[in-house]
Amino acid sequence: MEQNVHKALDSVPLESIRRFANQSSHFIDAYHKGLNGKQAAWANKKYHGHCVLPDSILKELQVDENQIA
């Protein structure tokens, strides 16, 4: 089983692993800032080029939700 795991990991390009790790880091940051899953997905799509979400993200969410309602 351990050999199969090593083969499977070796078959995944390093760039793909880095992208998934980076995206996971963005979601973790969003959850730490108090966002739920849907809000985290929206924020990560909007701020996809940034390393972390801005601290003002909750205010921006409220503004966007008020415009939609």
Side-chain angles (χ1 to χ4, degrees):
M1 184 179 203
E2 187 175 338
Q3 291 175 348
N4 288 338
V5 171
H6 285 288
K7 286 180 186 178
L9 288 174
D10 288 341
S11 70
V12 179
L14 184 59
E15 183 63 26
S16 293
I17 294 172
R18 287 180 177 153
R19 286 184 183 179
F20 281 111
N22 192 23
Q23 187 175 19
S24 298
S25 172
H26 288 189
F27 272 91
I28 291 168
D29 183 50
Y31 293 137
H32 278 281
K33 288 188 168 68
L35 280 68
N36 63 27
K38 185 176 179 181
Q39 293 169 334
W42 170 86
N44 284 316
K45 186 175 182 182
K46 182 174 180 178
Y47 294 100
H48 68 277
H50 302 274
C51 292
V52 294
L53 297 173
D55 290 333
S56 63
I57 191 70
L58 292 175
K59 292 177 187 173
E60 290 183 41
L61 273 170
Q62 291 173 349
V63 169
D64 278 359
E65 288 176 356
N66 290 338
Q67 290 175 355
I68 294 172

